[in-house]
Amino acid sequence: MRNHLTQARLTALAAVAATVAAGLAIRALSDGSFAKYVGDALYTVLLYALCVLAIPRIRPLTATLAALGLSWAIEFLQLTPIPAELSRQSTLARLVLGSTFNPPDLLWYAVGAISALLVHTTVRRATRRTSHPFP
């Protein structure tokens, strides 16, 4: 069981690194709406991977709801002046909290959450098949 948890954490850590790299690449190679909305989706994918990293036994649906809920909560927090003020003071706060509410972001967070769910369930099925090849 311990080996399984270690493997889950390593996979989640790799997903965190890959998600950050993808986000940086998108930012470097593109701009405008495409980069912004892909970045929104990747933001939720990152939160999903961090949930799995912190709690490797988390169920995919629970991780999906946690990542999406957090993304939406942060987006709605942008309706207050708090994130904008923190973003002016810190680059890290700007990256984590954003500054301005944008309704389409809510959709793109859902796209990211569903994408992470699909990848996670596919990886889990493949892992179970290879570790238990006979039904």
Side-chain angles (χ1 to χ4, degrees):
M1 180 61 77
R2 176 166 240 183
N3 196 19
H4 171 70
L5 294 179
T6 301
Q7 185 60 43
R9 278 205 166 102
L10 289 173
T11 303
L13 188 58
V16 166
T19 303
V20 170
L24 292 172
I26 292 293
R27 262 188 103 119
L29 299 173
S30 183
D31 60 359
S33 296
F34 176 78
K36 184 195 179 336
Y37 294 128
V38 170
D40 289 342
L42 288 172
Y43 181 83
T44 305
V45 170
L46 177 62
L47 290 176
Y48 186 106
L50 290 171
C51 287
V52 176
L53 181 63
I55 309 165
R57 290 184 180 157
I58 195 167
R59 294 176 188 259
L61 184 58
T62 304
T64 301
L65 296 175
L68 184 58
L70 226 107
S71 297
W72 283 353
I74 291 168
E75 188 68 29
F76 282 112
L77 182 65
Q78 293 171 2
L79 290 169
T80 73
I82 297 167
E85 179 58 34
L86 292 172
S87 292
R88 278 192 287 280
Q89 298 173 18
S90 163
T91 301
L92 181 60
R94 187 177 66 246
L95 291 171
V96 173
L97 300 176
S99 61
T100 309
F101 179 77
N102 185 25
D105 291 353
L106 300 170
L107 169 68
W108 290 101
Y109 295 140
V111 168
I114 291 167
S115 298
L117 171 67
L118 293 173
V119 169
H120 189 184
T121 54
T122 300
V123 168
R124 279 177 56 146
R125 282 188 191 125
T127 302
R128 285 186 178 152
R129 247 181 276 147
T130 58
S131 57
H132 304 291
F134 303 105

